Amino acid sequence: MFDEHDEALIWVRAVCLAYPEASERISHGRPNFFVRRSFCFFGGSERIDGSWVAHDHAVLVKPDPNDAPAYREDPRYFVPAYLGPKGWIGVELDAVDPDEAAELIDASYRVTAPARLVRSLDEG
């Protein structure tokens, strides 16, 4: 489901693994970045009119709940299968610039990571 040498994955991996105590595992055939809970998936899918649509160069993240409605209204973002009902969003990496993608990953880490790790980001 993914190419280990994909430049987009290499970039996402570097961003995600720079966070305190972040690790990577393969979950459902895709790279998943987590501390205790997942904060970013590389690639995913959505269901449109009964058909699966793959997003192989996307990130799936959990935004700050206050920001989620705006993302859901932005046509660049999609509601990923399975995770969407839990507040997650997805975006193809070529639809946003790297800074925006990194901000999405940062917000997701802050929403899902233990408070002590978020504090360490703010203090460091």
Coordinates of all heavy atoms in Angstrom, one line a residue, residues 11-107:
W11 N 9.4 12.5 4.0 CA 9.2 13.8 4.6 C 8.3 13.7 5.8 O 8.6 14.2 6.9 CB 8.6 14.8 3.6 CG 8.4 16.1 4.2 CD1 9.3 17.1 4.3 CD2 7.2 16.6 4.8 NE1 8.7 18.2 4.9 CE2 7.4 17.9 5.2 CE3 5.9 16.1 4.9 CZ2 6.5 18.7 5.8 CZ3 4.9 16.9 5.5 CH2 5.2 18.2 6.0
V12 N 7.1 13.0 5.7 CA 6.2 12.8 6.8 C 6.9 12.1 8.0 O 6.7 12.5 9.1 CB 4.9 12.0 6.3 CG1 4.1 11.6 7.5 CG2 4.1 12.9 5.4
R13 N 7.6 11.1 7.7 CA 8.3 10.3 8.7 C 9.3 11.2 9.5 O 9.3 11.2 10.7 CB 9.1 9.2 8.1 CG 9.9 8.3 9.1 CD 10.5 7.1 8.4 NE 9.5 6.1 8.0 CZ 9.5 5.5 6.9 NH1 10.3 5.8 5.9 NH2 8.5 4.6 6.7
A14 N 10.0 12.1 8.8 CA 11.0 13.0 9.4 C 10.2 14.0 10.3 O 10.7 14.2 11.5 CB 11.8 13.7 8.4
V15 N 9.1 14.5 9.9 CA 8.3 15.5 10.7 C 7.8 14.7 11.9 O 7.9 15.2 13.0 CB 7.2 16.1 9.8 CG1 6.2 16.9 10.7 CG2 7.8 17.0 8.7
C16 N 7.2 13.6 11.7 CA 6.5 12.9 12.8 C 7.5 12.4 13.9 O 7.2 12.5 15.1 CB 5.6 11.8 12.3 SG 4.2 12.3 11.4
L17 N 8.6 11.8 13.4 CA 9.5 11.2 14.4 C 10.3 12.2 15.1 O 11.0 11.9 16.1 CB 10.3 10.2 13.7 CG 9.6 8.9 13.2 CD1 10.5 8.0 12.5 CD2 8.8 8.3 14.3
A18 N 10.2 13.5 14.7 CA 10.9 14.6 15.5 C 10.2 14.9 16.8 O 10.8 15.6 17.6 CB 11.1 15.8 14.6
Y19 N 9.0 14.4 17.0 CA 8.2 14.7 18.2 C 8.7 13.8 19.3 O 9.0 12.7 19.1 CB 6.7 14.6 17.9 CG 6.2 15.8 17.1 CD1 6.0 15.7 15.8 CD2 5.8 16.9 17.8 CE1 5.6 16.8 15.1 CE2 5.4 18.0 17.1 CZ 5.2 18.0 15.7 OH 4.8 19.0 15.0
P20 N 8.6 14.3 20.5 CA 9.0 13.6 21.7 C 8.3 12.2 21.8 O 7.1 12.1 21.7 CB 8.6 14.4 22.9 CG 8.6 15.8 22.3 CD 8.1 15.7 20.9
E21 N 9.1 11.2 21.9 CA 8.6 9.8 22.1 C 7.8 9.2 21.0 O 7.1 8.2 21.1 CB 7.9 9.6 23.4 CG 8.8 9.9 24.6 CD 8.1 9.7 26.0 OE1 7.1 9.0 26.1 OE2 8.6 10.3 26.9
A22 N 7.8 9.9 19.8 CA 7.0 9.4 18.6 C 7.7 8.1 18.1 O 8.9 8.0 18.1 CB 7.0 10.5 17.6
S23 N 6.9 7.2 17.6 CA 7.3 6.0 17.0 C 6.5 5.7 15.8 O 5.4 6.4 15.6 CB 7.1 4.8 18.0 OG 7.9 4.9 19.1
E24 N 6.9 4.7 15.0 CA 6.2 4.4 13.8 C 5.9 2.9 13.8 O 6.7 2.1 14.3 CB 7.0 4.7 12.6 CG 6.4 4.3 11.2 CD 7.3 4.6 10.0 OE1 8.4 5.1 10.2 OE2 6.9 4.2 8.9
R25 N 4.7 2.5 13.3 CA 4.4 1.1 13.1 C 3.5 1.1 11.8 O 3.0 2.1 11.4 CB 3.6 0.5 14.3 CG 2.3 1.2 14.5 CD 1.5 0.6 15.7 NE 0.5 1.5 16.1 CZ 0.1 1.9 17.3 NH1 0.8 1.4 18.3 NH2 -0.9 2.7 17.5
I26 N 3.3 -0.1 11.3 CA 2.4 -0.3 10.2 C 1.1 -0.7 10.7 O 1.0 -1.7 11.5 CB 3.0 -1.3 9.2 CG1 4.4 -0.9 8.7 CG2 2.0 -1.5 8.0 CD1 4.5 0.5 8.1
S27 N 0.1 0.0 10.4 CA -1.3 -0.4 10.8 C -2.2 -0.3 9.6 O -2.3 0.7 8.9 CB -1.7 0.6 11.9 OG -3.1 0.4 12.3
H28 N -2.9 -1.4 9.4 CA -3.8 -1.5 8.3 C -3.1 -1.3 7.0 O -3.6 -0.7 6.0 CB -5.0 -0.6 8.4 CG -5.9 -1.0 9.6 ND1 -5.6 -0.4 10.9 CD2 -6.9 -1.8 9.8 CE1 -6.5 -0.9 11.7 NE2 -7.3 -1.7 11.1
G29 N -1.8 -1.7 6.9 CA -1.1 -1.6 5.7 C -0.5 -0.2 5.4 O 0.1 0.0 4.3
R30 N -0.6 0.7 6.4 CA -0.1 2.0 6.2 C 0.8 2.5 7.4 O 0.6 2.1 8.5 CB -1.2 3.0 6.0 CG -2.1 2.6 4.9 CD -2.7 3.9 4.3 NE -3.6 3.6 3.1 CZ -3.2 3.7 1.9 NH1 -2.1 4.2 1.6 NH2 -4.1 3.5 0.9
P31 N 1.8 3.4 7.1 CA 2.6 3.9 8.2 C 1.7 4.7 9.2 O 0.9 5.5 8.7 CB 3.6 4.8 7.5 CG 3.7 4.2 6.1 CD 2.3 3.8 5.8
N32 N 1.9 4.5 10.4 CA 1.1 5.1 11.5 C 2.1 5.6 12.5 O 3.0 4.9 13.0 CB 0.2 4.0 12.1 CG -0.5 4.5 13.4 OD1 -0.5 5.6 13.7 ND2 -1.0 3.5 14.1
F33 N 2.0 6.9 12.9 CA 2.9 7.5 13.8 C 2.1 7.8 15.1 O 1.0 8.3 15.1 CB 3.4 8.8 13.2 CG 4.2 8.5 11.9 CD1 3.5 8.6 10.7 CD2 5.5 8.2 11.9 CE1 4.2 8.3 9.5 CE2 6.2 7.8 10.8 CZ 5.5 7.9 9.5
F34 N 2.7 7.5 16.2 CA 2.0 7.5 17.5 C 2.9 7.7 18.7 O 4.1 7.6 18.5 CB 1.3 6.1 17.7 CG 2.2 5.0 17.9 CD1 2.5 4.6 19.2 CD2 2.9 4.4 16.9 CE1 3.4 3.5 19.5 CE2 3.8 3.3 17.1 CZ 4.0 2.9 18.4
V35 N 2.3 8.1 19.8 CA 3.0 8.1 21.1 C 2.3 7.0 21.8 O 2.7 5.8 21.7 CB 3.0 9.5 21.8 CG1 3.6 9.4 23.1 CG2 3.7 10.5 20.9
R36 N 1.3 7.3 22.5 CA 0.4 6.3 23.1 C -0.7 6.0 22.1 O -1.1 4.9 22.0 CB -0.2 6.7 24.4 CG 0.8 6.6 25.6 CD 0.1 6.8 26.9 NE 1.1 7.1 27.9 CZ 0.9 7.9 28.9 NH1 -0.3 8.4 29.1 NH2 1.9 8.1 29.8
R37 N -1.2 7.1 21.5 CA -2.3 7.0 20.5 C -1.7 7.5 19.2 O -0.8 8.3 19.2 CB -3.5 7.8 21.0 CG -4.1 7.3 22.2 CD -5.3 8.1 22.6 NE -5.1 9.5 22.8 CZ -6.0 10.4 23.0 NH1 -7.2 10.1 23.1 NH2 -5.6 11.7 23.1
S38 N -2.4 7.2 18.2 CA -1.9 7.6 16.8 C -2.2 9.1 16.7 O -3.1 9.7 17.2 CB -2.8 6.9 15.8 OG -2.5 5.5 15.8
F39 N -1.2 9.8 16.0 CA -1.4 11.2 15.7 C -1.3 11.5 14.2 O -1.7 12.6 13.7 CB -0.5 12.1 16.5 CG 1.0 12.0 16.2 CD1 1.6 12.8 15.2 CD2 1.8 11.1 16.9 CE1 2.9 12.7 15.0 CE2 3.1 11.0 16.6 CZ 3.7 11.8 15.7
C40 N -0.8 10.5 13.4 CA -0.8 10.7 12.0 C -0.7 9.4 11.2 O 0.1 8.5 11.7 CB 0.5 11.6 11.6 SG 0.7 12.0 9.9
F41 N -1.4 9.3 10.2 CA -1.3 8.1 9.2 C -0.8 8.7 7.9 O -1.2 9.8 7.5 CB -2.6 7.4 9.0 CG -3.1 6.6 10.2 CD1 -3.8 7.2 11.2 CD2 -2.9 5.3 10.2 CE1 -4.3 6.4 12.3 CE2 -3.4 4.5 11.2 CZ -4.1 5.1 12.3
F42 N 0.0 7.9 7.2 CA 0.4 8.3 5.9 C -0.5 7.4 4.9 O -0.3 6.2 4.9 CB 1.9 8.0 5.6 CG 2.3 8.3 4.2 CD1 2.4 9.6 3.8 CD2 2.5 7.3 3.3 CE1 2.8 9.9 2.5 CE2 2.9 7.6 2.0 CZ 3.1 8.9 1.6
G43 N -1.3 8.1 4.2 CA -2.3 7.4 3.3 C -3.5 7.0 4.0 O -3.6 6.8 5.2
G44 N -4.6 6.8 3.2 CA -5.8 6.4 3.7 C -6.8 6.3 2.6 O -6.5 6.3 1.4
S45 N -8.1 6.3 2.9 CA -9.1 6.2 1.9 C -10.4 6.9 2.4 O -10.5 7.2 3.6 CB -9.4 4.8 1.5 OG -9.9 4.0 2.7
E46 N -11.3 7.1 1.5 CA -12.6 7.6 1.9 C -13.7 6.8 1.0 O -13.3 6.3 0.0 CB -12.8 9.1 1.7 CG -12.8 9.6 0.3 CD -12.9 11.0 0.1 OE1 -13.8 11.6 0.8 OE2 -12.2 11.6 -0.7
R47 N -14.9 6.8 1.5 CA -15.9 6.1 0.8 C -16.8 7.2 0.1 O -17.3 8.1 0.8 CB -16.8 5.3 1.8 CG -17.7 4.3 1.1 CD -17.6 3.0 1.9 NE -18.5 2.1 1.4 CZ -18.2 1.0 0.7 NH1 -17.0 0.7 0.5 NH2 -19.2 0.2 0.4
I48 N -16.9 7.1 -1.2 CA -17.8 8.1 -2.0 C -18.7 7.3 -2.8 O -18.3 6.4 -3.6 CB -16.9 9.0 -2.9 CG1 -15.9 9.8 -2.0 CG2 -17.8 9.9 -3.7 CD1 -14.9 10.6 -2.8
D49 N -20.0 7.5 -2.6 CA -21.1 6.8 -3.3 C -20.9 5.3 -3.4 O -21.0 4.7 -4.4 CB -21.2 7.4 -4.8 CG -21.5 8.9 -4.8 OD1 -22.3 9.3 -3.9 OD2 -21.1 9.6 -5.7
G50 N -20.5 4.7 -2.2 CA -20.4 3.3 -2.2 C -19.1 2.7 -2.7 O -18.8 1.5 -2.6
S51 N -18.2 3.6 -3.2 CA -16.9 3.1 -3.7 C -15.7 3.6 -2.8 O -15.8 4.8 -2.3 CB -16.7 3.6 -5.1 OG -17.6 3.0 -5.9
W52 N -14.7 2.8 -2.7 CA -13.5 3.3 -2.0 C -12.6 4.1 -2.9 O -12.3 3.7 -4.0 CB -12.7 2.1 -1.5 CG -13.4 1.3 -0.4 CD1 -14.1 0.1 -0.5 CD2 -13.6 1.7 1.0 NE1 -14.6 -0.2 0.7 CE2 -14.3 0.7 1.6 CE3 -13.2 2.8 1.7 CZ2 -14.7 0.8 2.9 CZ3 -13.5 2.9 3.0 CH2 -14.3 1.9 3.6
V53 N -12.2 5.3 -2.4 CA -11.3 6.1 -3.1 C -10.0 6.2 -2.3 O -10.0 6.6 -1.1 CB -11.9 7.5 -3.3 CG1 -10.8 8.5 -3.9 CG2 -13.2 7.5 -4.1
A54 N -8.9 5.8 -2.8 CA -7.6 5.7 -2.1 C -6.9 7.1 -2.2 O -7.0 7.8 -3.2 CB -6.7 4.7 -2.8
H55 N -6.3 7.4 -1.1 CA -5.5 8.7 -1.0 C -4.1 8.2 -0.5 O -3.8 8.3 0.7 CB -6.1 9.7 0.0 CG -7.4 10.2 -0.5 ND1 -7.5 11.3 -1.3 CD2 -8.7 9.8 -0.2 CE1 -8.8 11.5 -1.6 NE2 -9.5 10.7 -0.8
D56 N -3.3 7.8 -1.5 CA -2.0 7.2 -1.1 C -0.9 8.2 -0.7 O 0.1 7.8 -0.1 CB -1.5 6.4 -2.3 CG -2.4 5.1 -2.5 OD1 -3.0 4.6 -1.5 OD2 -2.4 4.7 -3.6
H57 N -1.1 9.5 -1.0 CA -0.1 10.5 -0.7 C -0.8 11.6 0.2 O -0.6 12.8 0.0 CB 0.5 11.2 -1.9 CG 1.4 10.3 -2.6 ND1 1.1 9.5 -3.6 CD2 2.7 10.0 -2.3 CE1 2.2 8.7 -4.0 NE2 3.2 9.0 -3.2
A58 N -1.6 11.1 1.2 CA -2.3 12.0 2.1 C -1.8 11.7 3.5 O -1.2 10.7 3.8 CB -3.8 11.7 2.0
V59 N -2.1 12.7 4.4 CA -1.9 12.5 5.8 C -3.3 12.5 6.4 O -4.2 13.3 6.0 CB -1.0 13.5 6.5 CG1 0.5 13.3 6.1 CG2 -1.4 14.9 6.3
L60 N -3.5 11.7 7.4 CA -4.7 11.6 8.2 C -4.3 12.1 9.6 O -3.4 11.6 10.2 CB -5.3 10.2 8.3 CG -5.5 9.5 7.0 CD1 -6.2 8.1 7.3 CD2 -6.3 10.3 6.0
V61 N -5.0 13.1 10.0 CA -4.6 13.8 11.3 C -5.9 14.1 12.1 O -7.0 14.2 11.5 CB -3.8 15.0 11.1 CG1 -2.5 14.8 10.5 CG2 -4.6 16.1 10.3
K62 N -5.7 14.3 13.4 CA -6.9 14.7 14.2 C -6.7 16.1 14.6 O -5.8 16.4 15.4 CB -6.9 13.8 15.5 CG -8.2 14.1 16.3 CD -8.5 13.0 17.3 CE -9.8 13.3 18.0 NZ -10.2 12.2 18.9
P63 N -7.4 17.0 14.0 CA -7.2 18.5 14.3 C -7.8 18.9 15.7 O -8.6 18.1 16.3 CB -8.0 19.1 13.2 CG -9.1 18.2 12.9 CD -8.5 16.8 13.1
D64 N -7.4 20.0 16.1 CA -8.0 20.6 17.3 C -9.5 20.7 17.0 O -10.0 21.1 15.9 CB -7.5 22.0 17.5 CG -8.0 22.7 18.7 OD1 -9.3 22.9 18.8 OD2 -7.2 23.1 19.5
P65 N -10.4 20.2 18.0 CA -11.8 20.2 17.7 C -12.4 21.6 17.3 O -13.4 21.6 16.6 CB -12.4 19.8 19.1 CG -11.3 19.0 19.7 CD -10.0 19.7 19.3
N66 N -11.8 22.7 17.8 CA -12.3 24.0 17.4 C -12.0 24.3 15.9 O -12.7 25.1 15.3 CB -11.6 25.1 18.3 CG -12.0 25.0 19.7 OD1 -13.1 24.6 20.0 ND2 -11.1 25.2 20.6
D67 N -11.0 23.7 15.3 CA -10.6 23.9 13.9 C -11.3 22.9 13.0 O -11.4 23.2 11.8 CB -9.1 23.8 13.8 CG -8.4 24.9 14.6 OD1 -9.0 26.0 14.8 OD2 -7.2 24.6 14.9
A68 N -11.8 21.8 13.5 CA -12.3 20.8 12.6 C -13.4 21.2 11.7 O -13.4 20.8 10.5 CB -12.8 19.6 13.5
P69 N -14.4 22.0 12.1 CA -15.5 22.4 11.2 C -14.9 23.2 10.0 O -15.4 23.0 8.9 CB -16.4 23.3 12.1 CG -16.1 22.9 13.5 CD -14.7 22.5 13.5
A70 N -13.9 24.0 10.2 CA -13.4 24.8 9.0 C -12.7 23.8 8.0 O -12.8 24.0 6.8 CB -12.4 25.8 9.5
Y71 N -12.0 22.8 8.5 CA -11.4 21.8 7.6 C -12.4 21.0 6.8 O -12.2 20.8 5.7 CB -10.5 20.9 8.4 CG -9.2 21.5 8.9 CD1 -8.9 21.5 10.3 CD2 -8.3 22.1 8.1 CE1 -7.8 22.1 10.8 CE2 -7.1 22.7 8.6 CZ -6.9 22.7 9.9 OH -5.7 23.3 10.4
R72 N -13.5 20.7 7.5 CA -14.5 19.9 6.9 C -15.2 20.7 5.8 O -15.8 20.1 4.8 CB -15.5 19.4 7.9 CG -14.9 18.3 8.8 CD -15.9 17.6 9.7 NE -15.3 16.8 10.7 CZ -14.9 15.5 10.5 NH1 -15.1 15.0 9.3 NH2 -14.4 14.8 11.4
E73 N -15.2 22.0 5.8 CA -15.8 22.8 4.8 C -14.8 23.1 3.6 O -15.3 23.5 2.6 CB -16.3 24.1 5.4 CG -17.5 24.0 6.3 CD -18.0 25.3 6.9 OE1 -17.6 26.4 6.4 OE2 -18.7 25.2 7.9
D74 N -13.6 22.9 3.9 CA -12.5 23.2 2.8 C -12.5 22.0 1.9 O -12.3 20.9 2.3 CB -11.2 23.4 3.5 CG -10.1 23.8 2.6 OD1 -10.1 23.4 1.4 OD2 -9.2 24.6 3.1
P75 N -12.7 22.3 0.6 CA -12.7 21.1 -0.4 C -11.4 20.4 -0.5 O -11.4 19.3 -1.1 CB -13.1 21.8 -1.7 CG -12.8 23.2 -1.5 CD -12.9 23.5 -0.1
R76 N -10.3 20.9 0.0 CA -9.0 20.2 -0.1 C -9.0 19.0 0.9 O -8.2 18.1 0.7 CB -7.9 21.1 0.2 CG -7.7 22.3 -0.8 CD -6.6 23.2 -0.4 NE -6.9 23.8 0.9 CZ -6.0 24.4 1.7 NH1 -4.8 24.5 1.3 NH2 -6.4 24.9 2.8
Y77 N -9.8 19.1 1.9 CA -9.8 18.0 2.9 C -10.9 17.0 2.7 O -11.9 17.3 2.1 CB -10.0 18.7 4.3 CG -8.8 19.6 4.6 CD1 -8.7 20.9 4.2 CD2 -7.7 19.1 5.3 CE1 -7.6 21.7 4.4 CE2 -6.6 19.9 5.6 CZ -6.6 21.2 5.1 OH -5.5 22.0 5.4
F78 N -10.7 15.8 3.2 CA -11.7 14.8 3.1 C -11.9 14.1 4.5 O -11.0 14.2 5.4 CB -11.3 13.7 2.0 CG -10.1 13.0 2.3 CD1 -10.1 11.7 2.9 CD2 -8.8 13.4 1.8 CE1 -8.9 11.0 3.2 CE2 -7.7 12.7 2.0 CZ -7.7 11.5 2.7
V79 N -13.0 13.4 4.6 CA -13.3 12.7 5.8 C -12.9 11.2 5.6 O -13.5 10.5 4.8 CB -14.8 12.8 6.2 CG1 -15.1 11.9 7.4 CG2 -15.2 14.2 6.4
P80 N -11.8 10.8 6.3 CA -11.3 9.5 6.0 C -12.2 8.4 6.5 O -12.9 8.5 7.5 CB -10.0 9.5 6.7 CG -10.1 10.5 7.8 CD -11.0 11.5 7.3
A81 N -12.2 7.3 5.8 CA -13.0 6.1 6.3 C -12.5 5.7 7.6 O -11.3 5.8 8.0 CB -12.8 5.0 5.3
Y82 N -13.4 5.2 8.4 CA -13.2 4.7 9.8 C -12.8 5.7 10.8 O -13.4 5.8 11.9 CB -12.1 3.6 9.8 CG -12.4 2.4 8.8 CD1 -11.7 2.2 7.7 CD2 -13.5 1.6 9.0 CE1 -12.0 1.2 6.8 CE2 -13.9 0.6 8.1 CZ -13.1 0.4 7.0 OH -13.4 -0.6 6.1
L83 N -11.8 6.6 10.5 CA -11.4 7.6 11.4 C -12.2 8.9 11.4 O -12.2 9.6 12.4 CB -9.9 7.9 11.2 CG -8.9 6.8 11.4 CD1 -7.5 7.2 10.9 CD2 -8.9 6.3 12.8
G84 N -12.8 9.2 10.3 CA -13.6 10.4 10.2 C -14.6 10.6 11.3 O -14.7 11.7 11.8
P85 N -15.4 9.6 11.6 CA -16.4 9.8 12.7 C -15.8 10.1 14.0 O -16.4 10.6 14.9 CB -17.1 8.4 12.7 CG -17.0 7.9 11.3 CD -15.6 8.3 10.9
K86 N -14.5 9.8 14.2 CA -13.8 10.1 15.4 C -13.1 11.5 15.4 O -12.2 11.8 16.3 CB -12.8 9.0 15.7 CG -13.5 7.7 16.0 CD -12.5 6.6 16.2 CE -13.3 5.3 16.4 NZ -12.4 4.1 16.2
G87 N -13.4 12.3 14.4 CA -12.9 13.6 14.3 C -11.7 13.8 13.4 O -11.1 14.9 13.4
W88 N -11.2 12.8 12.8 CA -10.0 12.9 11.9 C -10.4 13.5 10.6 O -11.5 13.4 10.1 CB -9.4 11.5 11.7 CG -8.7 11.0 13.0 CD1 -9.4 10.6 14.1 CD2 -7.4 10.7 13.1 NE1 -8.4 10.2 15.0 CE2 -7.2 10.2 14.4 CE3 -6.3 10.8 12.3 CZ2 -5.9 9.8 14.9 CZ3 -5.0 10.5 12.8 CH2 -4.9 10.0 14.1
I89 N -9.4 14.1 9.9 CA -9.5 14.6 8.6 C -8.3 14.1 7.8 O -7.3 13.7 8.3 CB -9.5 16.2 8.5 CG1 -8.2 16.7 9.1 CG2 -10.8 16.7 9.2 CD1 -8.0 18.2 8.8
G90 N -8.4 14.2 6.5 CA -7.3 13.8 5.6 C -7.1 14.9 4.5 O -8.0 15.6 4.2
V91 N -5.9 14.9 4.1 CA -5.6 15.9 3.0 C -4.4 15.3 2.2 O -3.5 14.8 2.7 CB -5.2 17.3 3.6 CG1 -3.9 17.3 4.4 CG2 -5.1 18.3 2.5
E92 N -4.6 15.4 0.9 CA -3.5 15.0 0.0 C -2.3 16.0 0.2 O -2.6 17.2 0.2 CB -4.0 15.1 -1.5 CG -4.9 14.0 -1.9 CD -4.2 12.6 -2.1 OE1 -3.0 12.5 -2.1 OE2 -5.0 11.6 -2.2
L93 N -1.1 15.5 0.2 CA 0.0 16.4 0.5 C 0.2 17.4 -0.6 O 0.8 18.5 -0.4 CB 1.3 15.6 0.8 CG 1.2 14.8 2.1 CD1 2.4 13.8 2.2 CD2 1.3 15.8 3.3
D94 N -0.2 17.1 -1.9 CA 0.0 18.1 -2.9 C -1.0 19.1 -2.9 O -1.0 20.1 -3.7 CB 0.2 17.4 -4.3 CG -1.1 16.6 -4.7 OD1 -2.1 16.6 -4.0 OD2 -1.1 16.0 -5.8
A95 N -2.0 19.1 -2.0 CA -3.1 20.1 -1.9 C -2.7 21.2 -0.9 O -3.4 22.2 -0.9 CB -4.4 19.4 -1.5
V96 N -1.7 21.0 -0.1 CA -1.3 22.0 0.9 C 0.2 22.1 0.8 O 0.9 21.2 0.3 CB -1.7 21.5 2.3 CG1 -3.2 21.5 2.5 CG2 -1.1 20.2 2.7
D97 N 0.7 23.3 1.2 CA 2.2 23.4 1.2 C 2.8 22.7 2.4 O 2.1 22.4 3.4 CB 2.6 24.9 1.2 CG 2.2 25.7 2.4 OD1 2.4 25.2 3.5 OD2 1.7 26.8 2.2
P98 N 4.1 22.5 2.4 CA 4.7 21.7 3.5 C 4.5 22.3 4.9 O 4.3 21.6 5.9 CB 6.2 21.7 3.1 CG 6.2 21.8 1.6 CD 5.0 22.7 1.3
D99 N 4.5 23.7 5.0 CA 4.3 24.3 6.3 C 2.9 24.0 6.8 O 2.7 23.7 8.0 CB 4.4 25.8 6.2 CG 5.9 26.2 6.0 OD1 6.8 25.4 6.3 OD2 6.1 27.3 5.5
E100 N 1.9 24.0 6.0 CA 0.5 23.7 6.4 C 0.4 22.2 6.8 O -0.2 21.9 7.8 CB -0.5 24.0 5.3 CG -1.9 23.9 5.8 CD -2.9 24.4 4.7 OE1 -2.6 25.0 3.7 OE2 -4.1 24.2 5.0
A101 N 1.0 21.4 6.1 CA 1.0 19.9 6.4 C 1.7 19.7 7.8 O 1.2 19.0 8.6 CB 1.7 19.1 5.3
A102 N 2.8 20.4 8.0 CA 3.5 20.3 9.3 C 2.7 20.8 10.4 O 2.7 20.3 11.5 CB 4.9 21.0 9.2
E103 N 2.0 21.9 10.2 CA 1.1 22.5 11.2 C -0.1 21.5 11.5 O -0.4 21.4 12.7 CB 0.5 23.8 10.7 CG 1.5 24.9 10.7 CD 1.0 26.2 10.1 OE1 -0.2 26.3 9.9 OE2 1.8 27.1 9.9
L104 N -0.6 20.8 10.5 CA -1.6 19.8 10.8 C -1.1 18.7 11.7 O -1.8 18.2 12.6 CB -2.2 19.3 9.5 CG -3.0 20.2 8.6 CD1 -3.1 19.6 7.2 CD2 -4.3 20.4 9.2
I105 N 0.1 18.2 11.3 CA 0.7 17.1 12.1 C 1.0 17.6 13.5 O 0.7 16.9 14.5 CB 2.0 16.6 11.4 CG1 1.6 15.9 10.1 CG2 2.8 15.7 12.4 CD1 2.8 15.6 9.2
D106 N 1.5 18.8 13.7 CA 1.7 19.4 15.0 C 0.4 19.5 15.8 O 0.4 19.1 17.0 CB 2.3 20.8 14.9 CG 2.7 21.4 16.2 OD1 3.7 20.9 16.9 OD2 1.9 22.3 16.7
A107 N -0.6 20.0 15.2 CA -1.9 20.1 16.0 C -2.4 18.7 16.4 O -2.9 18.5 17.5 CB -2.9 20.8 15.1

